[in-house]
Structures are given as structure tokens and as C-alpha cells.
Amino acid sequence: MIEEGSKRGKAMVEKRQLFMEMRAQNFDVIRLSTYRTACKLRFVQKRCNLHLVDVWNMIEAFRDNGLNTLDHNAEISVSRLETILSSIYYQLNKRLPTTHQINVEQSIGLLLNFMVATYDSESHGKLTVFSMKAMLATMCGGKIVDKLRYIFSQISDSSGIMVFGKFDQFLREVLKLPTAVFEGPSFGYTEHSVRMCFPQQKKIMLNTFLDVLMADPPPQCLVWLPLMHRLANVENVFHPVECSYCRSESMMGFRYRCQQCHGYQLCQSCFWRGHANGPHSNQHQMKEHSSWKSPAKKLSHAISKSLGCVPIGEPPHPVFPEQAERPQELTHNVVLESPSRLDEEHRLIARYAARLAAEAGNSTQQCPPTDLSFNFDANKQQRQLIAELENKNREILQEIQRLRLEHEQASQPTPEKAQQNPTLLTELRLLRHRKDELERRMSALQESRRELMVQLEGLMRLLKDEEQKQASQSGGSPHSSPSHGAGCSMPMPIRSTSAGSTPTHTPQDCLAGVGGDVLEAFAQGVPRNLRNDLLVAADSITNTMSSLVKELHSVDDGAEDDETNMRNGGDRGGSRHTESTKALRGRDPYPSLQGHPVINWEDSASAGSPWH
């Protein structure tokens, strides 16, 4: 019981959702009932996404669901109505781009609840076919003339004359829409609604029907219908005019100009709410403008109209032939949704061609001989139209085939446009190998430099300890000679000599491999700052490594130049590469290290050096 109660409550909330949203728009502040009704129905149309469904797509949906074979008074269940609405909205999503897809389930729920609340107020769970057709054909998108033509096909007989009883039934169904949005007192159905539209009981053909319903002004009970279509057309119209009441610099939608007050113009919001100021009064006649024309265009249009270049009194709709029109169930119209339905289009064309041929044969048998020439001309025009359609379809198929081939060619991997020279590739590989060797050599030299820096730091610590010992000795024996500390035997790295020579262990020879700055630090004489001397020696080593790196970079640049010459010059570049390689091999790889003795760290380790 609790679950059933919750389901019923949820259903009631869904039914009232659309009406609650409509009340939130505050349409009731609009002073005129015609604009108020049109705005409410336009809101329902947009909220249910019916403005995206064209009237011809709606007729196609009726035919696909078999409604054209049912009687107008036949009843359909709410579940079948939901199925029909689902097919309409899912077909709409197929036609829309992916960035403009709609929420199908929400649209179906809103429209279904609105239709049930409008046409099934007694909760029978059923609606008539005619009420559903009248409501959807009126509320969908498209031109009003196309909608009225379809409605006339539903309320006329086989001879093309309107049946007043069916028109009265149409008014009953369509006037339930204003009643559903709480505008029944103004536009509800009455017994005099038919006479209000057609006061004289005479034969009403299609053109007369369109003239009456599209007149200015239209019948009072249907005055909101053309206004709803005008609202849809002017929603995005911009008027660069200032409103005389709210002082807005521009307007959107309708623009209203007073016929008595010069230069007095109101936006649609102020006019609908009855705002007025200054000498203007709400009793003044106002003219509605749905577009903006500059003064220059107005002047040119007036001159053209005075000269007779512009036709005066254009008809509101095209004149249709005064003959019986078959119900427009879109049986002879093909609505393509995607190129994949081309095969179905061919089958439909073949079927329609056979049907036209059969109808032409039947009409030939029934018509007298005097009308044979007219029938032959009509059949010839139909055959020409079919031939043109078939030619157009063949062109479309050829274009699709061409685009498919171009797509396949573009997706295939492109072949190599030019063959590369194997000699150049070999030389390029050799140059890259040489470059890798130089980079490895540079890495090794940098590692040696780091080791030298570590050893120099150890040497600095030893020298600092020696200074402290000399200071303590000089403090303990003030009569000792300064050269006594310098002559002490101290384990230092020795320079390696020839195999037959005997190494000596004097301080000068031990420090010969480090550099002149370190050697001077151990010389007898005035004591110096050994820390600064060691830093100077480290800077000397750094400069030597920098010069070596520059030499390596110059070798890399030479290799790149040789590669470029090889690509451009062929054999001539190869000879130059050989000469540059010979010059590089004959060059001393360590020009900045000449004059510096090499330190033999293995001998120092064997001599018991404390660094290792």
C-alpha cells in the first residue's frame, strides 16, 4: 500500500511539473489574453521539444504508426500513445546533430502528461485518434499554412469540400488547448464557434478555409493560433530602438509603435504589461512590428511602392488548385534521415511509379475520349518527374562512391616519395658512431675531473693539518727554524719516471704533478694561504676541462659539416670528410694538458698515502 501510494504521488508530481514550471514564468501578468494564451502554449511547445518536429515529420510518424488507417473516433490507449510519442522523439534525435540531442524520456513524460490532462480529464485511459492528430499537428513546428492544409484534409470529404460537422469536432479538440493552460473563459469552445468562423453555410474549399483562418484578424476563437507562430518567428529578432518606457537601448521580439504619439515605441514586455508614460495612453492604437528596417530602406520601399515596383496586397498564402485533395498522409513524400536509406528510397520510387501508372490506367478508362490528351500530358509530366528523381539519385550514389574511394585512398599508407642514397646512410651511421664515441670519452674525462676534485679536497685537509702541527711546534720550540717543518718527510704522490731511474721523495717532486700553485704553497719562504692556492689549482683544472669540451664540440661540428657536404656534394664531400678525419687524428686530443706532469696515483697508493 505504501509503494502504491508513493507511485501515485510521483505520477501526480510528474503531471503537475509542466504546469508548475509554466506558473513560474509568470505569464499571468500579461494584460491581453491573446498574447497570454500564445505565450503559454509556446512555452509548452518548447518545453516538450515539439517545436523541433516539423509538421511533415509528424505526418510521417502518423503513417508509420498506422493512424491513417484508423477512424477518427477510434480510441487508443495511453500505452500506445506513449509508443507513438517515443517513435516521434527517437526519430527526431536521429535527425539532430550529436551536440543538440534532447532528453527523450523527459520530453515523452511531459508531453504525455499534458495530453492526458488535456484530453482525458475523466481518467478513462484512452484518447481518440482525431484528438491526438489535431493536438500534435497544431503544436508541432512548421508553417501554419502546411498545418492548416493537413487539418483541412482531415475534415473534408472526397470532393474537397469541408464537412461542418468535422470542423466542429476539430474546434472542440483544438480549443481544449487554451482551456488546459487556464484560458478557457477567453477561448473555450461554444456552440457558436463554427458560425463565428464561417457565418454563411456554403461550400468551403481549401483556399477559402485558408483565407478565413489566416485572415487579419482571424476568427476570435482561433486568434491565438497565428500569434503563436509569429512569436516563434520573432524570438531572435533584434530592434536597435530604445523603449520609451523602460529606456532599454534595444528590443528583442515584437516592437510596438503608437499611431498617435510621434516616436513613441514600446518593447513587448512593456506593452504586454500595459505600461505607459507621458502623453501616451493604453487606449491609443498600437502597430505591431516583427522586423526592423532602417530609414533608408523605408524610403526606398516607399518610392518603389509608389512607382508600382512592389505588388500591393500580396496574398497571405499561395493559391492552391480548386480540386479535391486526398488526405495528406505523406504517402507520396519521402523523408530521408541518412544516406543509408538510399536503397529504401529506390524501392519507394519504384512502388510510387507503379502506383501512378495504375492510377493513370484507371483514369484513362474512366475518362471520356475528349480528356485523353490532358491525361496523357499529366502522365508525361509524372514520368518526367520520376526520371528526374532517378537521375538525381544516381548522381547522389556516384558522389557517395567517389567520396568512399577518396576516403579509402586517404586511409592507406602513403609510399615513399623518394629513395634514399645508401652511401649517405652509411656515412651518417659512421658519423653518429663517432659522435657517440666522443660523448663517451667526454663522460670519462668528466668523471676523472670529479675524482681529481675529491683528491684535491683531501690534500687541502692534509695541508691544514700540517699547518696546525707547524704552529704547535713553533709554539713549543721558539728557536726552531722555519725550514724545519718544510724539510720533514711527508707522504705525497710522486711523479712516475723512466724504468731505470730511481724516484726521489723531495716535497717539490711530490707536488710536481699537481701544478705550480700547489708547488709554490710548499716552497720555503713566506707562508701563503693554502686554501686559496688549492682553489686556484682547481680552477686551472676546470679551465683545462672546458678547453677539452670545446675541442670535442668542434669535432662534432666538423662531423655535422661533413654530413651536410656528403648529402650535397656526393664524392667531393666524401674526400673532404677523409681529409678532416685525418686532420682530426693528427691533432693532439689534449692540447690544454701539455706541460702538466701526469700523477701516478697507483705509486702513491703503494707508498702508503692516507687518501686511499
Side-chain angles (χ1 to χ4, degrees), residues 104-156:
V104 175
E105 298 298 331
Q106 184 182 14
S107 301
I108 293 172
L110 291 175
L111 181 57
L112 182 64
N113 292 326
F114 179 75
M115 293 182 67
V116 170
T118 304
Y119 295 102
D120 189 23
S121 58
E122 298 180 359
S123 301
H124 293 305
K126 292 183 179 181
L127 281 76
T128 62
V129 174
F130 187 72
S131 62
M132 187 194 67
K133 284 185 176 182
M135 186 271 176
L136 293 178
T138 305
M139 295 295 292
C140 68
K143 298 180 180 180
I144 186 173
V145 62
D146 296 331
K147 296 181 180 181
L148 294 178
R149 286 182 62 195
Y150 173 72
I151 292 170
F152 184 80
S153 68
Q154 300 297 309
I155 62 176
S156 59

Short mmCIF file of all heavy atoms in Angstrom, two decimals, residues 104-156:
data_model
loop_
_atom_site.label_atom_id
_atom_site.label_comp_id
_atom_site.label_asym_id
_atom_site.label_seq_id
_atom_site.Cartn_x
_atom_site.Cartn_y
_atom_site.Cartn_z
N VAL A 104 15.02 12.37 -24.41
CA VAL A 104 13.83 11.76 -24.97
C VAL A 104 12.84 11.37 -23.88
O VAL A 104 11.64 11.65 -23.98
CB VAL A 104 14.21 10.54 -25.84
CG1 VAL A 104 12.96 9.82 -26.34
CG2 VAL A 104 15.06 10.97 -27.01
N GLU A 105 13.32 10.74 -22.83
CA GLU A 105 12.42 10.27 -21.78
C GLU A 105 11.70 11.44 -21.10
O GLU A 105 10.49 11.37 -20.83
CB GLU A 105 13.22 9.48 -20.74
CG GLU A 105 13.90 8.23 -21.30
CD GLU A 105 12.90 7.22 -21.84
OE1 GLU A 105 11.75 7.20 -21.33
OE2 GLU A 105 13.25 6.46 -22.75
N GLN A 106 12.41 12.52 -20.85
CA GLN A 106 11.78 13.67 -20.21
C GLN A 106 10.74 14.30 -21.13
O GLN A 106 9.65 14.68 -20.69
CB GLN A 106 12.84 14.70 -19.83
CG GLN A 106 12.30 15.90 -19.09
CD GLN A 106 13.37 16.92 -18.77
OE1 GLN A 106 14.46 16.85 -19.32
NE2 GLN A 106 13.06 17.86 -17.90
N SER A 107 11.06 14.42 -22.43
CA SER A 107 10.11 15.01 -23.37
C SER A 107 8.86 14.15 -23.50
O SER A 107 7.73 14.68 -23.55
CB SER A 107 10.78 15.18 -24.74
OG SER A 107 11.93 16.00 -24.64
N ILE A 108 9.04 12.83 -23.54
CA ILE A 108 7.88 11.93 -23.64
C ILE A 108 7.01 12.07 -22.40
O ILE A 108 5.77 12.16 -22.49
CB ILE A 108 8.35 10.47 -23.83
CG1 ILE A 108 9.03 10.30 -25.18
CG2 ILE A 108 7.18 9.51 -23.71
CD1 ILE A 108 9.68 8.95 -25.37
N GLY A 109 7.61 12.10 -21.22
CA GLY A 109 6.84 12.21 -19.99
C GLY A 109 6.05 13.51 -19.90
O GLY A 109 4.86 13.51 -19.54
N LEU A 110 6.69 14.64 -20.26
CA LEU A 110 6.00 15.92 -20.18
C LEU A 110 4.84 15.99 -21.16
O LEU A 110 3.73 16.42 -20.82
CB LEU A 110 6.99 17.06 -20.44
CG LEU A 110 8.06 17.29 -19.37
CD1 LEU A 110 9.04 18.36 -19.83
CD2 LEU A 110 7.42 17.70 -18.05
N LEU A 111 5.09 15.59 -22.43
CA LEU A 111 4.03 15.69 -23.43
C LEU A 111 2.90 14.70 -23.15
O LEU A 111 1.72 15.04 -23.32
CB LEU A 111 4.62 15.43 -24.82
CG LEU A 111 3.65 15.52 -25.99
CD1 LEU A 111 2.97 16.89 -26.03
CD2 LEU A 111 4.37 15.26 -27.31
N LEU A 112 3.24 13.49 -22.71
CA LEU A 112 2.20 12.51 -22.41
C LEU A 112 1.31 12.99 -21.27
O LEU A 112 0.06 12.89 -21.35
CB LEU A 112 2.85 11.17 -22.07
CG LEU A 112 1.89 10.01 -21.77
CD1 LEU A 112 1.07 9.67 -23.00
CD2 LEU A 112 2.68 8.79 -21.29
N ASN A 113 1.89 13.52 -20.22
CA ASN A 113 1.09 14.02 -19.10
C ASN A 113 0.23 15.22 -19.52
O ASN A 113 -0.92 15.35 -19.07
CB ASN A 113 2.00 14.41 -17.94
CG ASN A 113 2.68 13.21 -17.32
OD1 ASN A 113 2.10 12.13 -17.26
ND2 ASN A 113 3.90 13.39 -16.84
N PHE A 114 0.76 16.08 -20.37
CA PHE A 114 -0.02 17.22 -20.83
C PHE A 114 -1.20 16.77 -21.69
O PHE A 114 -2.32 17.29 -21.55
CB PHE A 114 0.87 18.18 -21.62
CG PHE A 114 0.15 19.38 -22.14
CD1 PHE A 114 -0.22 20.42 -21.30
CD2 PHE A 114 -0.18 19.48 -23.49
CE1 PHE A 114 -0.88 21.53 -21.79
CE2 PHE A 114 -0.85 20.59 -23.98
CZ PHE A 114 -1.20 21.62 -23.13
N MET A 115 -0.98 15.81 -22.58
CA MET A 115 -2.07 15.33 -23.44
C MET A 115 -3.14 14.60 -22.62
O MET A 115 -4.35 14.76 -22.87
CB MET A 115 -1.51 14.42 -24.52
CG MET A 115 -0.63 15.13 -25.53
SD MET A 115 -0.04 14.04 -26.85
CE MET A 115 -1.56 13.68 -27.69
N VAL A 116 -2.71 13.80 -21.65
CA VAL A 116 -3.69 13.10 -20.81
C VAL A 116 -4.49 14.09 -19.98
O VAL A 116 -5.72 13.96 -19.83
CB VAL A 116 -2.95 12.07 -19.92
CG1 VAL A 116 -3.90 11.50 -18.88
CG2 VAL A 116 -2.38 10.95 -20.77
N ALA A 117 -3.80 15.10 -19.43
CA ALA A 117 -4.53 16.10 -18.64
C ALA A 117 -5.47 16.93 -19.50
O ALA A 117 -6.50 17.43 -19.00
CB ALA A 117 -3.53 17.02 -17.92
N THR A 118 -5.16 17.10 -20.79
CA THR A 118 -5.99 17.92 -21.66
C THR A 118 -7.17 17.16 -22.22
O THR A 118 -8.31 17.66 -22.24
CB THR A 118 -5.13 18.49 -22.80
OG1 THR A 118 -4.03 19.21 -22.26
CG2 THR A 118 -5.95 19.42 -23.68
N TYR A 119 -6.94 15.92 -22.69
CA TYR A 119 -7.97 15.18 -23.42
C TYR A 119 -8.54 13.99 -22.64
O TYR A 119 -9.43 13.32 -23.16
CB TYR A 119 -7.41 14.70 -24.75
CG TYR A 119 -7.05 15.83 -25.68
CD1 TYR A 119 -5.72 16.22 -25.85
CD2 TYR A 119 -8.03 16.51 -26.38
CE1 TYR A 119 -5.39 17.27 -26.69
CE2 TYR A 119 -7.71 17.55 -27.22
CZ TYR A 119 -6.40 17.93 -27.38
OH TYR A 119 -6.09 18.98 -28.21
N ASP A 120 -8.04 13.70 -21.48
CA ASP A 120 -8.56 12.59 -20.68
C ASP A 120 -8.75 13.07 -19.25
O ASP A 120 -8.18 12.53 -18.30
CB ASP A 120 -7.61 11.39 -20.75
CG ASP A 120 -8.23 10.14 -20.12
OD1 ASP A 120 -9.47 10.07 -20.03
OD2 ASP A 120 -7.46 9.26 -19.70
N SER A 121 -9.55 14.09 -19.12
CA SER A 121 -9.76 14.67 -17.79
C SER A 121 -10.51 13.73 -16.86
O SER A 121 -10.38 13.82 -15.63
CB SER A 121 -10.52 15.99 -17.91
OG SER A 121 -11.77 15.77 -18.57
N GLU A 122 -11.30 12.79 -17.43
CA GLU A 122 -12.05 11.85 -16.60
C GLU A 122 -11.28 10.57 -16.30
O GLU A 122 -11.82 9.65 -15.69
CB GLU A 122 -13.37 11.50 -17.30
CG GLU A 122 -14.28 12.71 -17.50
CD GLU A 122 -15.57 12.34 -18.19
OE1 GLU A 122 -15.73 11.14 -18.54
OE2 GLU A 122 -16.41 13.23 -18.40
N SER A 123 -10.02 10.49 -16.74
CA SER A 123 -9.11 9.37 -16.43
C SER A 123 -9.65 8.03 -16.94
O SER A 123 -9.64 7.02 -16.24
CB SER A 123 -8.84 9.29 -14.92
OG SER A 123 -8.28 10.49 -14.44
N HIS A 124 -10.10 8.03 -18.20
CA HIS A 124 -10.51 6.77 -18.81
C HIS A 124 -9.31 5.97 -19.34
O HIS A 124 -9.43 4.78 -19.60
CB HIS A 124 -11.48 7.03 -19.97
CG HIS A 124 -12.81 7.58 -19.51
ND1 HIS A 124 -13.60 6.94 -18.57
CD2 HIS A 124 -13.47 8.72 -19.86
CE1 HIS A 124 -14.70 7.65 -18.37
NE2 HIS A 124 -14.65 8.74 -19.13
N GLY A 125 -8.19 6.63 -19.52
CA GLY A 125 -7.01 5.94 -20.03
C GLY A 125 -7.00 5.78 -21.53
O GLY A 125 -6.20 5.00 -22.06
N LYS A 126 -7.86 6.53 -22.26
CA LYS A 126 -7.93 6.42 -23.71
C LYS A 126 -8.14 7.79 -24.32
O LYS A 126 -8.74 8.67 -23.72
CB LYS A 126 -9.07 5.48 -24.13
CG LYS A 126 -8.84 4.02 -23.75
CD LYS A 126 -9.97 3.14 -24.25
CE LYS A 126 -9.72 1.68 -23.88
NZ LYS A 126 -10.80 0.79 -24.38
N LEU A 127 -7.63 7.94 -25.55
CA LEU A 127 -7.79 9.17 -26.32
C LEU A 127 -8.25 8.79 -27.72
O LEU A 127 -7.92 7.71 -28.23
CB LEU A 127 -6.49 9.97 -26.42
CG LEU A 127 -6.06 10.82 -25.22
CD1 LEU A 127 -5.49 9.95 -24.11
CD2 LEU A 127 -5.04 11.86 -25.65
N THR A 128 -8.98 9.68 -28.37
CA THR A 128 -9.40 9.43 -29.75
C THR A 128 -8.27 9.75 -30.71
O THR A 128 -7.39 10.58 -30.41
CB THR A 128 -10.63 10.27 -30.09
OG1 THR A 128 -10.30 11.66 -29.99
CG2 THR A 128 -11.80 9.95 -29.15
N VAL A 129 -8.30 9.12 -31.87
CA VAL A 129 -7.26 9.34 -32.87
C VAL A 129 -7.31 10.78 -33.37
O VAL A 129 -6.27 11.43 -33.57
CB VAL A 129 -7.44 8.34 -34.04
CG1 VAL A 129 -6.48 8.65 -35.16
CG2 VAL A 129 -7.25 6.92 -33.55
N PHE A 130 -8.51 11.32 -33.57
CA PHE A 130 -8.62 12.67 -34.11
C PHE A 130 -8.10 13.72 -33.12
O PHE A 130 -7.46 14.69 -33.52
CB PHE A 130 -10.08 12.97 -34.46
CG PHE A 130 -10.27 14.27 -35.17
CD1 PHE A 130 -9.86 14.43 -36.48
CD2 PHE A 130 -10.82 15.37 -34.51
CE1 PHE A 130 -10.02 15.65 -37.13
CE2 PHE A 130 -10.98 16.58 -35.15
CZ PHE A 130 -10.59 16.72 -36.47
N SER A 131 -8.36 13.53 -31.84
CA SER A 131 -7.86 14.49 -30.84
C SER A 131 -6.34 14.49 -30.80
O SER A 131 -5.71 15.55 -30.69
CB SER A 131 -8.44 14.18 -29.47
OG SER A 131 -8.02 12.89 -29.03
N MET A 132 -5.74 13.31 -30.90
CA MET A 132 -4.28 13.24 -30.89
C MET A 132 -3.70 13.89 -32.15
O MET A 132 -2.72 14.65 -32.09
CB MET A 132 -3.83 11.79 -30.80
CG MET A 132 -2.33 11.62 -30.61
SD MET A 132 -1.77 9.96 -30.91
CE MET A 132 -2.07 9.84 -32.66
N LYS A 133 -4.31 13.63 -33.31
CA LYS A 133 -3.83 14.24 -34.55
C LYS A 133 -3.98 15.75 -34.50
O LYS A 133 -3.05 16.49 -34.89
CB LYS A 133 -4.60 13.67 -35.74
CG LYS A 133 -4.21 12.28 -36.17
CD LYS A 133 -4.97 11.90 -37.43
CE LYS A 133 -4.54 10.54 -37.95
NZ LYS A 133 -5.25 10.18 -39.20
N ALA A 134 -5.13 16.24 -34.05
CA ALA A 134 -5.35 17.68 -34.02
C ALA A 134 -4.38 18.37 -33.07
O ALA A 134 -3.83 19.44 -33.39
CB ALA A 134 -6.80 17.96 -33.59
N MET A 135 -4.12 17.76 -31.92
CA MET A 135 -3.23 18.39 -30.95
C MET A 135 -1.79 18.41 -31.46
O MET A 135 -1.12 19.45 -31.42
CB MET A 135 -3.32 17.63 -29.62
CG MET A 135 -2.54 18.28 -28.48
SD MET A 135 -0.84 17.71 -28.39
CE MET A 135 -0.21 18.70 -27.08
N LEU A 136 -1.28 17.29 -31.93
CA LEU A 136 0.11 17.22 -32.38
C LEU A 136 0.33 18.04 -33.64
O LEU A 136 1.38 18.67 -33.79
CB LEU A 136 0.51 15.76 -32.61
CG LEU A 136 0.57 14.88 -31.36
CD1 LEU A 136 0.94 13.45 -31.73
CD2 LEU A 136 1.58 15.43 -30.35
N ALA A 137 -0.64 18.04 -34.56
CA ALA A 137 -0.48 18.84 -35.77
C ALA A 137 -0.52 20.34 -35.47
O ALA A 137 0.09 21.14 -36.18
CB ALA A 137 -1.58 18.49 -36.78
N THR A 138 -1.23 20.74 -34.42
CA THR A 138 -1.29 22.15 -34.06
C THR A 138 -0.06 22.60 -33.28
O THR A 138 0.45 23.71 -33.50
CB THR A 138 -2.55 22.42 -33.22
OG1 THR A 138 -3.70 21.98 -33.94
CG2 THR A 138 -2.69 23.90 -32.90
N MET A 139 0.45 21.77 -32.41
CA MET A 139 1.55 22.15 -31.52
C MET A 139 2.94 21.86 -32.07
O MET A 139 3.92 22.27 -31.48
CB MET A 139 1.40 21.44 -30.18
CG MET A 139 0.17 21.85 -29.40
SD MET A 139 0.20 23.58 -28.88
CE MET A 139 1.52 23.55 -27.69
N CYS A 140 3.04 21.15 -33.18
CA CYS A 140 4.37 20.84 -33.72
C CYS A 140 4.93 22.06 -34.45
O CYS A 140 4.27 23.09 -34.60
CB CYS A 140 4.30 19.63 -34.66
SG CYS A 140 3.39 19.94 -36.18
N GLY A 141 6.17 21.93 -34.92
CA GLY A 141 6.80 23.02 -35.66
C GLY A 141 6.39 23.01 -37.12
O GLY A 141 5.75 22.08 -37.62
N GLY A 142 6.76 24.06 -37.83
CA GLY A 142 6.44 24.16 -39.25
C GLY A 142 5.59 25.38 -39.55
O GLY A 142 5.24 26.18 -38.66
N LYS A 143 5.28 25.55 -40.83
CA LYS A 143 4.48 26.70 -41.27
C LYS A 143 3.02 26.46 -40.97
O LYS A 143 2.51 25.34 -41.06
CB LYS A 143 4.68 26.93 -42.77
CG LYS A 143 6.10 27.26 -43.15
CD LYS A 143 6.21 27.48 -44.65
CE LYS A 143 7.65 27.82 -45.05
NZ LYS A 143 7.77 28.02 -46.51
N ILE A 144 2.32 27.55 -40.67
CA ILE A 144 0.91 27.43 -40.33
C ILE A 144 0.08 27.03 -41.54
O ILE A 144 -0.93 26.32 -41.42
CB ILE A 144 0.40 28.76 -39.73
CG1 ILE A 144 -1.04 28.60 -39.25
CG2 ILE A 144 0.54 29.89 -40.71
CD1 ILE A 144 -1.56 29.80 -38.49
N VAL A 145 0.52 27.42 -42.74
CA VAL A 145 -0.23 27.04 -43.92
C VAL A 145 -0.17 25.54 -44.16
O VAL A 145 -1.17 24.91 -44.56
CB VAL A 145 0.28 27.83 -45.15
CG1 VAL A 145 1.73 27.51 -45.45
CG2 VAL A 145 -0.59 27.56 -46.38
N ASP A 146 0.96 24.92 -43.88
CA ASP A 146 1.07 23.47 -44.02
C ASP A 146 0.21 22.75 -42.98
O ASP A 146 -0.42 21.73 -43.28
CB ASP A 146 2.52 23.03 -43.89
CG ASP A 146 3.39 23.59 -45.00
OD1 ASP A 146 2.87 23.81 -46.11
OD2 ASP A 146 4.60 23.80 -44.76
N LYS A 147 0.17 23.27 -41.77
CA LYS A 147 -0.67 22.66 -40.74
C LYS A 147 -2.15 22.74 -41.12
O LYS A 147 -2.89 21.76 -40.98
CB LYS A 147 -0.43 23.35 -39.40
CG LYS A 147 0.97 23.20 -38.84
CD LYS A 147 1.09 23.91 -37.50
CE LYS A 147 2.48 23.79 -36.93
NZ LYS A 147 2.61 24.44 -35.61
N LEU A 148 -2.59 23.93 -41.59
CA LEU A 148 -3.99 24.08 -41.95
C LEU A 148 -4.36 23.24 -43.16
O LEU A 148 -5.49 22.72 -43.25
CB LEU A 148 -4.29 25.56 -42.22
CG LEU A 148 -4.17 26.49 -41.01
CD1 LEU A 148 -4.43 27.93 -41.41
CD2 LEU A 148 -5.13 26.06 -39.90
N ARG A 149 -3.45 23.05 -44.07
CA ARG A 149 -3.73 22.16 -45.22
C ARG A 149 -3.94 20.72 -44.75
O ARG A 149 -4.83 20.02 -45.22
CB ARG A 149 -2.57 22.23 -46.21
CG ARG A 149 -2.51 23.50 -47.04
CD ARG A 149 -1.35 23.44 -48.01
NE ARG A 149 -1.55 22.33 -48.96
CZ ARG A 149 -0.57 21.84 -49.74
NH1 ARG A 149 0.66 22.34 -49.65
NH2 ARG A 149 -0.82 20.86 -50.56
N TYR A 150 -3.09 20.28 -43.80
CA TYR A 150 -3.28 18.91 -43.30
C TYR A 150 -4.59 18.79 -42.52
O TYR A 150 -5.32 17.80 -42.67
CB TYR A 150 -2.10 18.54 -42.40
CG TYR A 150 -2.30 17.20 -41.70
CD1 TYR A 150 -2.22 16.02 -42.41
CD2 TYR A 150 -2.62 17.15 -40.35
CE1 TYR A 150 -2.42 14.79 -41.80
CE2 TYR A 150 -2.82 15.92 -39.71
CZ TYR A 150 -2.71 14.76 -40.45
OH TYR A 150 -2.93 13.54 -39.84
N ILE A 151 -4.91 19.80 -41.72
CA ILE A 151 -6.17 19.75 -40.97
C ILE A 151 -7.36 19.74 -41.92
O ILE A 151 -8.35 19.02 -41.71
CB ILE A 151 -6.24 20.93 -39.99
CG1 ILE A 151 -5.19 20.76 -38.89
CG2 ILE A 151 -7.62 21.08 -39.39
CD1 ILE A 151 -5.01 21.96 -38.02
N PHE A 152 -7.29 20.53 -43.00
CA PHE A 152 -8.40 20.54 -43.96
C PHE A 152 -8.54 19.17 -44.64
O PHE A 152 -9.67 18.74 -44.93
CB PHE A 152 -8.16 21.62 -45.01
CG PHE A 152 -9.29 21.77 -45.99
CD1 PHE A 152 -10.42 22.49 -45.65
CD2 PHE A 152 -9.24 21.18 -47.25
CE1 PHE A 152 -11.47 22.63 -46.54
CE2 PHE A 152 -10.27 21.32 -48.14
CZ PHE A 152 -11.40 22.04 -47.79
N SER A 153 -7.42 18.49 -44.88
CA SER A 153 -7.52 17.15 -45.49
C SER A 153 -8.20 16.16 -44.55
O SER A 153 -8.75 15.16 -45.01
CB SER A 153 -6.11 16.65 -45.86
OG SER A 153 -5.35 16.40 -44.69
N GLN A 154 -8.18 16.42 -43.26
CA GLN A 154 -8.81 15.52 -42.30
C GLN A 154 -10.30 15.83 -42.09
O GLN A 154 -11.04 14.97 -41.61
CB GLN A 154 -8.08 15.61 -40.95
CG GLN A 154 -6.62 15.23 -41.00
CD GLN A 154 -6.41 13.79 -41.40
OE1 GLN A 154 -7.01 12.87 -40.82
NE2 GLN A 154 -5.57 13.57 -42.40
N ILE A 155 -10.73 17.05 -42.40
CA ILE A 155 -12.12 17.43 -42.15
C ILE A 155 -12.90 17.64 -43.44
O ILE A 155 -14.03 18.15 -43.39
CB ILE A 155 -12.18 18.72 -41.29
CG1 ILE A 155 -11.53 19.89 -42.02
CG2 ILE A 155 -11.52 18.49 -39.94
CD1 ILE A 155 -11.64 21.21 -41.28
N SER A 156 -12.34 17.28 -44.59
CA SER A 156 -13.04 17.44 -45.87
C SER A 156 -13.43 16.07 -46.41
O SER A 156 -12.90 15.02 -46.01
CB SER A 156 -12.15 18.17 -46.88
OG SER A 156 -10.94 17.45 -47.09
#
